[in-house]
Amino acid sequence: MNRLQQLIEDVSAISLIDVNQIKTLLYWSVATYGHPVLNKFPVLRVTGDSETGKSDLCEVLRDICRPPAVFEDIKPWSEAGIRRELNKAYLAKGTCVFDEADDFPYEYYEMLFEKNRSTHKNSKQVKGEWQENETELWCPLALNGRTSLNDV
């Protein structure tokens, strides 16, 4: 714990980030290592105006989270592309860190928060037959955007 406290102090000394925000980021990153044995896990969303360091902060998260961790700009991605990346992280037991995620599909937040809701299901027609498809999304997720989430 002394090493973690020292890291908090070091980051605080070189940044303008509030110490409680630094703690949140570091504690969340440490918690990603226990993700496989948990049934619920918070999605971390970093918000701020343009050019405030959100992307840089998320790159740091990628470096200290449970590997393998990916950092991807998902602004132009489709929902299917996002699902594929989340599923890859699930299969690799890794972490996803998404940049420019203002349009991240809202319904995925609950799926990623609770393990027993983390399977995405859809149907498609193949050669006249309907086939069910399931994609597992359960992985730690941090993302950034300019806006806060709406409370629904």
Side-chain angles (χ1 to χ4, degrees):
M1 193 61 152
N2 288 338
R3 294 173 87 190
L4 193 53
Q5 183 59 39
Q6 186 60 52
L7 182 57
I8 292 166
E9 291 171 10
D10 290 348
V11 172
S12 182
I14 62 168
S15 73
L16 299 175
I17 303 170
D18 176 77
V19 70
N20 288 323
Q21 292 172 335
I22 295 168
K23 288 178 182 179
T24 299
L25 297 170
L26 292 176
Y27 296 159
W28 185 89
S29 298
V30 169
T32 62
Y33 289 85
H35 183 270
V37 298
L38 299 172
N39 291 317
K40 293 185 180 186
F41 197 84
V43 173
L44 180 64
R45 183 167 171 90
V46 176
T47 60
D49 291 331
S50 182
E51 300 298 320
T52 56
K54 297 180 304 294
S55 298
D56 294 336
L57 195 57
C58 283
E59 286 186 60
V60 170
L61 282 172
R62 174 206 53 208
D63 294 342
I64 61 178
C65 289
R66 181 183 73 179
V70 297
F71 176 78
E72 295 285 350
D73 178 344
I74 65 164
K75 191 174 191 174
W77 287 20
S78 66
E79 284 191 28
I82 292 169
R83 274 196 312 275
R84 278 192 298 275
E85 196 65 37
L86 291 167
N87 181 253
K88 283 182 356 188
Y90 164 76
L91 294 172
K93 296 190 179 358
T95 303
C96 281
V97 182
F98 290 157
D99 191 30
E100 300 290 339
D102 282 310
D103 294 326
F104 185 80
Y106 192 82
E107 63 272 14
Y108 291 0
Y109 284 103
E110 285 188 14
M111 297 173 96
L112 291 160
F113 172 71
E114 197 164 352
K115 188 174 190 175
N116 67 359
R117 292 182 175 190
S118 64
T119 304
H120 180 271
K121 298 177 183 180
N122 65 354
S123 300
K124 64 179 179 179
Q125 197 169 21
V126 178
K127 296 182 182 176
E129 299 285 325
W130 284 98
Q131 295 181 345
E132 294 254 340
N133 185 31
E134 293 186 352
T135 306
E136 184 56 55
L137 307 179
W138 180 244
C139 69
L141 171 67
L143 39 76
N144 74 50
R146 293 184 184 167
T147 59
S148 298
L149 297 176
N150 292 327
D151 187 16
V152 181

